[in-house]
Amino acid sequence: MADVDQRRPTARRLRPLRDLLPYVAPYGRRIVVALLLLLLAASATLTLPYAVKLLVDGGLAQPAGSGLGERMQAIREHFLLLFAVAVVLGLATAARFYMVSWIGERVTTDLRQAVYAHVLRQSPQFFETLKTGEVLSRLTTDTTVIHSAVGSSISMGLRSIVLFAGGLTMLVTTTPRLMLTVAGIIVLFVLPAALIGRRVRKLSRASQDRIADTSGIAGEILNAIPIVQSYTQEQAEAVRFSAANEKAFATSIRRTGTRSAFTAFVIIGVFGSLLYGLYGGVQAVLVGELSAGQLSQTALYVMVVAGSVAVLAEVWGDLLRASGATERLMELLDSRSPIDEPPLPVILPAPAGGLRVVFDKVRFAYPARPEQAVLQGLELTIDTGQTVALVGPSGAGKTTVFQLLQRFYEVSEGAILIDGIDLRDARLAELRARIAVVPQEAVIFSGSIADNIRYGRPGASDQETRAAAAAAFVDEFVQRLPEGYATFVGERGVRLSGGQRQRIAIARAILKDAPLLLLDEATSSLDAESERVVQAALEAAMSGRTTIVIAHRLATVQRADRIVVLDHGQLIDAGTHLQLVERGGLYARLAALQFGL
């Protein structure tokens, strides 16, 4: 990939920037205004050397016979002209800066939103290979680089191109013989500069990748601080982060060094060429071929052109870096979730007391391990309003059943039907709106307790929220908190105990009031007293809806209408607790080991 990148022509190295056009296009009018202001500012800049020429030749270089008053009047007029040009330059530059900065901020905001919204729609498979920290790095670091390019670098580049072209045109017009020679010398620097620029872009992409690596490590470890500290791995993790950080630093320094060499090469080459032309202009004044004003004009235009080249060298490096950042962001936007919306979705029937769920010869293997089937021809029917417990050893496929029901993954063979409709034929939002989930590890968001419960149904009233909280035994501990339901729980609910977090997750599912309830050992983090109360609340929540429970604890299993025993992705037995114990199969052995029977 790197070799291909090295052979790319200049235009192709900046090609990823074209992907930003859909985000820039909506602000076409502001861009036109910014370009007009840019042209006005550049024109004022190019007018200054000519105004200085008029000052020198029309004021300072007046014939000796001219009166002092007449000369002072001429000088005053020329200074007023210079001031007028400066006012135009200042106002146009300030207005251009504001307009371009606004465009840069707006485009970056839109792009960040588009990438984030797109990532949220990806299936869990997407995050099997891409770390969350890397996604965050692309959302922050890469968009910052693009903001710098869109908000200033492109504008400065266009302005410098106008100044360079205008200044060089004026130089060729005023001293054609010398400046044509200078232009020929400048061309000699183009090829080496292009080669160095190619190296800059390659290192810019590598630098962004290394920064993303450090973000990935930091995000993973900071989300697992208790485990890291429990196993006293702080120093080891600091060393691991340091190694990645040093790699990022080394890559960044190589990029900076190459970019510095590129800048120095361009500035020295072009400035030297222009100084050669200016030297020729001085000789022309000495022999009477140029006036002092023309020489002053030539010197200022040389400064304008040289300054433009210096800016262009910097801008080129920024654009190469922005091109790499854009390429990384577009990789995210171009990723497509394997879970597609159906082209002609089937409307799911209105739920009436639960859903009927059928697994019809379902075979499934995770994409990361396609040769290892987790479910092997699973056939299972769960009737409307029934409570079914899934039991089996680790790796039997219990959690996979939950993930397939929510269509986080596609089945490899067979079909899953809800009320007779294949999941793949229903809209994802409509399907998932009919499912409430309580995971084994409760997910709590930063915010208040009420906010977390309302996550199940954002439009719920305070009364409905508190009713769900009371049913899940949340009200008991909230009453002891000074701020009640407005209590801030911290990131991932760090201010709450495990049992409190689990009860909030249960309240969230109760508030959603979905016809299909998925419980992944929902009472595993509760003490005996809380479990009894929450179990009663869950039984009330199960009433009138279909419930599937991944169960290990006896209290949960005994209350199920039917227990389904899975092993190696196959249904090997089903029945009530007493029936399965009497048969003496796998369930009886699990019950003896786990429940002490």
Side-chain angles (χ1 to χ4, degrees):
M1 184 68 180
D3 294 338
V4 173
D5 186 72
Q6 288 182 341
R7 292 194 296 269
R8 286 179 177 175
T10 301
R12 291 190 62 190
R13 293 200 304 277
L14 293 181
R15 183 172 294 175
L17 292 178
R18 296 193 308 183
D19 294 326
L20 296 177
L21 289 178
Y23 301 93
V24 177
Y27 311 108
R29 291 184 179 179
R30 289 180 178 268
I31 293 172
V32 170
V33 172
L35 289 175
L36 292 175
L37 291 170
L38 182 150
L39 291 173
L40 181 59
S43 300
T45 303
L46 293 172
T47 302
L48 283 173
Y50 179 71
V52 170
K53 170 187 175 297
L54 295 178
L55 171 65
V56 174
D57 287 344
L60 297 177
Q62 286 282 344
S66 302
L68 180 59
E70 183 180 345
R71 295 179 65 185
M72 288 299 296
Q73 178 63 29
I75 291 173
R76 189 178 300 113
E77 291 175 356
H78 289 302
F79 267 105
L80 288 175
L81 175 62
L82 280 170
F83 179 72
V85 173
V87 169
V88 173
L89 175 61
L91 293 176
T93 300
R96 175 191 62 83
F97 173 78
Y98 174 81
M99 193 65 67
V100 169
S101 296
W102 188 96
I103 294 170
E105 292 285 357
R106 185 69 261 171
V107 169
T108 305
T109 300
D110 293 348
L111 181 60
R112 189 184 296 119
Q113 178 61 34
V115 173
Y116 183 69
H118 183 74
V119 169
L120 288 180
R121 291 191 293 270
Q122 300 303 303
S123 71
Q125 179 182 343
F126 175 82
F127 297 96
E128 290 180 3
T129 54
L130 191 64
K131 290 183 179 179
T132 304
E134 183 170 351
V135 175
L136 295 177
S137 174
R138 297 191 187 191
L139 281 171
T140 54
T141 306
D142 289 355
T143 52
T144 300
V145 171
I146 292 172
H147 170 264
S148 176
V150 176
S152 60
S153 296
I154 291 178
S155 173
M156 291 172 61
L158 291 174
R159 177 176 177 274
S160 297
I161 289 173
V162 173
L163 292 178
F164 177 80
L168 202 59
T169 299
M170 295 301 296
L171 287 173
V172 172
T173 302
T174 54
T175 53
R177 181 175 59 83
L178 287 172
M179 289 307 145
L180 286 174
T181 303
V182 170
I185 296 174
I186 291 175
V187 170
L188 296 178
F189 291 90
V190 173
L191 182 59
L195 294 175
I196 298 175
R198 181 179 303 172
R199 175 69 175 169
V200 169
R201 182 186 180 281
K202 177 186 175 185
L203 290 174
S204 295
R205 171 62 192 260
S207 178
Q208 295 299 106
D209 288 340
R210 298 293 77 75
I211 292 173
D213 291 343
T214 61
S215 298
I217 293 173
E220 180 182 25
I221 298 307
L222 291 178
N223 283 327
I225 281 294
I227 297 299
V228 173
Q229 294 179 348
S230 177
Y231 283 88
T232 64
Q233 291 298 304
E234 298 95 329
Q235 182 61 32
E237 293 299 343
V239 170
R240 185 160 74 102
F241 182 84
S242 176
N245 208 23
E246 288 299 324
K247 286 183 180 178
F249 172 77
T251 306
S252 180
I253 289 301
R254 285 200 300 272
R255 172 183 59 80
T256 303
T258 305
R259 182 172 170 179
S260 299
F262 173 76
T263 301
F265 180 82
V266 172
I267 292 176
I268 292 173
V270 175
F271 210 102
S273 303
L274 293 173
L275 286 176
Y276 171 76
L278 185 59
Y279 172 71
V282 173
Q283 290 180 318
V285 170
L286 294 177
V287 298
E289 295 179 358
L290 286 178
S291 67
Q294 288 175 314
L295 178 60
S296 300
Q297 176 182 256
T298 300
L300 290 175
Y301 278 129
V302 165
M303 292 178 64
V304 168
V305 173
S308 300
V309 170
V311 172
L312 284 172
E314 285 291 318
V315 167
W316 181 250
D318 288 340
L319 292 181
L320 289 174
R321 192 175 177 212
S323 178
T326 302
E327 192 174 29
R328 283 162 45 88
L329 284 174
M330 292 305 148
E331 286 177 357
L332 284 182
L333 284 172
D334 289 341
S335 60
R336 290 291 173 265
S337 174
I339 309 301
D340 295 327
E341 291 281 7
L344 296 172
V346 177
I347 304 299
L348 291 173
L355 303 177
R356 187 172 190 269
V357 179
V358 176
F359 281 74
D360 183 13
K361 300 178 181 178
V362 171
R363 184 185 182 280
F364 173 75
Y366 284 99
R369 304 182 299 277
E371 72 288 344
Q372 183 178 350
V374 181
L375 298 181
Q376 305 184 55
L378 177 63
E379 293 193 57
L380 171 64
T381 298
I382 302 173
D383 291 326
T384 301
Q386 193 175 46
T387 296
V388 171
L390 303 181
V391 176
S394 297
K398 302 184 296 295
T399 301
T400 300
V401 167
F402 278 18
Q403 292 182 323
L404 292 178
L405 271 172
Q406 297 173 83
R407 208 177 162 217
F408 290 154
Y409 296 90
E410 295 284 31
V411 299
S412 305
E413 296 177 12
I416 301 176
L417 309 176
I418 285 188
D419 286 344
I421 296 175
D422 194 317
L423 296 188
R424 291 166 291 193
D425 295 331
R427 289 181 61 248
L428 286 173
E430 190 176 352
L431 166 67
R432 292 169 183 170
R434 284 165 164 73
I435 302 174
V437 183
V438 180
Q440 186 170 1
E441 295 295 330
V443 176
I444 301 298
F445 301 98
S446 177
S448 70
I449 292 175
D451 291 337
N452 273 279
I453 296 174
R454 277 201 186 95
Y455 205 82
R457 184 152 54 95
S461 66
D462 289 343
Q463 183 178 359
E464 292 171 323
T465 302
R466 296 196 176 196
F473 207 53
V474 173
D475 200 56
E476 181 272 334
F477 72 84
V478 170
Q479 297 292 342
R480 300 195 299 268
L481 300 175
E483 297 180 56
Y485 285 94
T487 300
F488 178 71
V489 299
E491 186 179 10
R492 293 179 291 113
V494 293
R495 297 184 176 185
L496 302 173
S497 69
Q500 290 171 340
R501 290 196 294 269
Q502 191 70 309
R503 279 182 267 177
I504 290 175
I506 294 170
R508 180 190 300 158
I510 292 173
L511 182 63
K512 187 174 182 179
D513 195 25
L516 177 59
L517 184 62
L518 305 181
L519 304 176
D520 188 354
E521 193 54 81
T523 60
S524 61
S525 298
L526 305 180
D527 54 48
E529 180 181 355
S530 297
E531 181 182 358
R532 284 194 299 270
V533 176
V534 173
Q535 191 67 51
L538 286 176
E539 287 180 11
M542 294 174 190
S543 177
R545 59 176 48 83
T546 304
T547 305
I548 306 176
V549 186
I550 294 178
H552 298 286
R553 301 176 74 157
L554 182 60
T556 305
V557 173
Q558 286 180 322
R559 287 175 170 83
D561 297 325
R562 187 159 57 107
I563 300 170
V564 172
V565 184
L566 300 178
D567 189 26
H568 294 95
Q570 295 179 318
L571 192 158
I572 62 171
D573 208 348
T576 65
H577 172 70
L578 293 176
Q579 290 171 341
L580 293 173
V581 169
E582 289 174 359
R583 289 174 193 164
L586 174 61
Y587 178 82
R589 293 197 301 273
L590 290 174
L593 290 172
Q594 298 179 23
F595 308 144
L597 297 179

